[in-house]
Amino acid sequence: MTQETISTQEEIVLLSVGSLEPAAYAYGIQKEIKREANLNWSIGTIHTILYRLENKGLLKSEMGGSSEKRGGRSKRLYSLTAKGYGNVQSIQETRQAMWNKLVTNKPSF
């Protein structure tokens, strides 16, 4: 499987979606990113990244059920595709391998 080149922002959104599935929606993703990464991204930023990731085939979405709390409107729910999961897994493996080398060759400061 060929790894899609993604930005750090896109990686964070993919990880957030994966950790929130099956209830990953834009506002929940925004809260997760704030809580876990201490990043205060606007909902517009989140939507832009979600659309971009969906166009790359790393995410898929579907409309959830409507709720009275949202005035009868439905949420768009996001989930990782196999390609999206493989992408973040490959990134993690690369980072871990490089981290292991850094720790082994610990620089002297």
Side-chain angles (χ1 to χ4, degrees), residues 12 30-41:
I12 290 169
Q30 182 188 38
K31 289 188 335 188
E32 177 77 358
I33 290 169
K34 173 68 174 165
R35 181 175 46 254
E36 296 298 329
N38 200 30
L39 296 168
N40 196 19
W41 294 349

Side-chain angles (χ1 to χ4, degrees), residues 56-76:
K56 289 181 178 185
L58 303 175
L59 289 180
K60 60 184 177 182
S61 69
E62 61 183 28
M63 294 306 290
S66 61
S67 70
E68 283 193 33
K69 185 177 181 182
R70 294 176 45 86
R73 295 177 312 168
S74 299
K75 293 178 187 173
R76 180 165 294 280

Side-chain angles (χ1 to χ4, degrees), residues 5 7 19 24 26 29 35 71 73-74 76-77 79 81 88 90 97 109:
T5 301
S7 69
S19 68
I29 294 164
R35 181 175 46 254
R73 295 177 312 168
S74 299
R76 180 165 294 280
L77 301 174
S79 59
T81 62
V88 290
S90 177
F109 297 103

Side-chain angles (χ1 to χ4, degrees), residues 7-25:
S7 69
T8 302
Q9 281 185 320
E10 291 171 328
E11 180 185 354
I12 290 169
V13 170
L14 283 174
L15 291 168
S16 297
V17 169
S19 68
L20 293 171
E21 280 188 71
Y25 64 103

